[in-house]
Amino acid sequence: PALVGRIAYPLYDPQTGRTDVWIAAGGGADRYQLAQCMRQPDFRGDGRLVLNGQGCGTDSLWAINADGGERREASHHPEDDHPTWSPGGGEIVYSSSQQGDGQWRLYRHSIDGDPPQSPPFIPLGTTGLLGRFPVWLSNGEIAYNGCDYGFGSGGNCGLWIAGAEGGVPRRLTTDSSDRAVDDSGGNLVFMSTRAGSWDIYRVLVDGSGLTRLTAGPGNNGLPTWSPDGRSIAFLSDRDGQWAIWVMGADGSNPRKLFDLNGTPGPNWTEERITWGP
């Protein structure tokens, strides 16, 4: 099928050390720079994005339209990281080390009005829910990378799923490298080094149907669902240079969309690409 919508992706400038967010049409045409000193974009259903600012005086989370308009600060802490929209688009969830104790916690709050100066973390006991790289699922739950600190031994790591209101999470996968990236109708795509190199997997949020979608060569990661749920775009250096690729929902027919003409940066596994309307 024809690829529709837009893909937002990071592009790193090694001379300045700056990462910027760019947008391309679904097929790779009409590329333009959306925002400087921004990372980890996530599209909302109406085309608005939430981003993680880094450098240039942007060190917090931001919301912005795909044409660059209506830019608003969405948090107040430089440690805030990897924001994702709620299914209804009125809230964001993100990870942050803003408490200053070396722990990453998950936070959520409304995107309307001024962001809270001291946002509440998602509750679990007295410490809050510890973890990173959250993804708000279409069923209202939140998937994240973490271990069973505070409700187990702390040695069981992988992907976990928690209610947005907090409480004891349930374990989804069992490899500590598993990193959730995007969900479509209960199908979670994630990246992992469980087989050696970075590759892409899919699993249902009830834990069934675990499927490996890529098997090299090179690194494959940062998968994102197309708006219609029929395709998955991802980042790969399989042919010797970084590019955006696309494949079917079952991993079939992988093909290159366009070269990045650069690199996603030294910490590319912490980045995100996102496919929106």
Side-chain angles (χ1 to χ4, degrees):
L3 299 178
V4 299
R6 294 168 289 188
I7 296 174
Y9 60 96
L11 190 60
Y12 176 73
D13 185 341
Q15 293 185 333
T16 64
R18 191 183 76 198
T19 299
D20 305 324
V21 169
W22 287 68
I23 289 182
D30 303 322
R31 282 180 266 178
Y32 64 93
Q33 186 186 84
L34 173 67
Q36 295 181 349
C37 299
M38 297 281 180
R39 310 169 54 219
Q40 302 169 337
D42 187 45
F43 265 118
R44 194 166 67 178
D46 63 355
R48 192 159 170 79
L49 298 103
V50 63
L51 310 162
N52 175 12
Q54 188 175 70
C56 307
T58 67
D59 293 328
S60 57
L61 304 181
W62 296 80
I64 188 172
N65 289 344
D67 63 2
E70 295 188 42
R71 176 166 160 168
R72 293 182 56 188
E73 197 168 14
S75 80
H76 291 301
H77 298 275
E79 301 89 353
D80 299 345
D81 185 74
H82 211 267
T84 307
W85 293 105
S86 65
E91 295 183 81
I92 55 172
V93 64
Y94 55 95
S95 51
S96 180
S97 59
Q98 63 182 259
Q99 293 289 325
D101 59 2
Q103 300 284 353
W104 288 88
R105 292 174 172 83
L106 303 189
Y107 295 78
R108 56 170 285 206
H109 61 72
S110 171
I111 200 70
D112 295 325
D114 292 330
Q117 292 288 343
S118 299
F121 47 71
I122 296 178
L124 176 65
T126 59
T127 62
L129 194 58
L130 303 180
R132 288 197 73 182
F133 311 114
V135 172
W136 214 320
L137 306 175
S138 54
N139 68 0
E141 296 181 305
I142 294 169
Y144 68 97
N145 172 275
C147 305
D148 58 343
Y149 296 116
F151 57 96
S153 68
N156 298 303
C157 303
L159 295 181
W160 294 80
I161 293 181
E165 303 297 332
V168 177
R170 70 179 188 274
R171 197 175 188 185
L172 182 65
T173 68
T174 59
D175 192 283
S176 61
S177 71
D178 294 349
R179 189 168 299 175
V181 184
D182 198 16
D183 167 69
S184 177
N187 280 276
L188 182 68
V189 282
F190 67 95
M191 54 192 286
S192 177
T193 59
R194 55 173 56 205
S197 61
W198 283 107
D199 274 304
I200 298 168
Y201 299 77
R202 188 186 70 202
V203 66
L204 294 174
V205 296
D206 64 5
S208 65
L210 178 63
T211 305
R212 186 177 180 179
L213 300 181
T214 65
N219 295 293
N220 302 282
L222 308 185
T224 180
W225 287 100
S226 62
D228 63 8
R230 301 173 67 179
S231 303
I232 298 168
F234 62 99
L235 190 70
S236 179
D237 64 356
R238 61 177 58 192
D239 67 351
Q241 56 187 327
W242 287 105
I244 302 294
W245 288 64
V246 68
M247 60 184 170
D250 60 356
S252 62
N253 192 28
R255 59 201 186 277
K256 185 192 291 189
L257 288 182
F258 59 90
D259 291 321
L260 248 55
N261 297 321
T263 170
N267 298 319
W268 75 269
T269 60
E270 298 183 8
E271 294 294 343
R272 179 195 272 134
I273 66 172
T274 181
W275 198 339

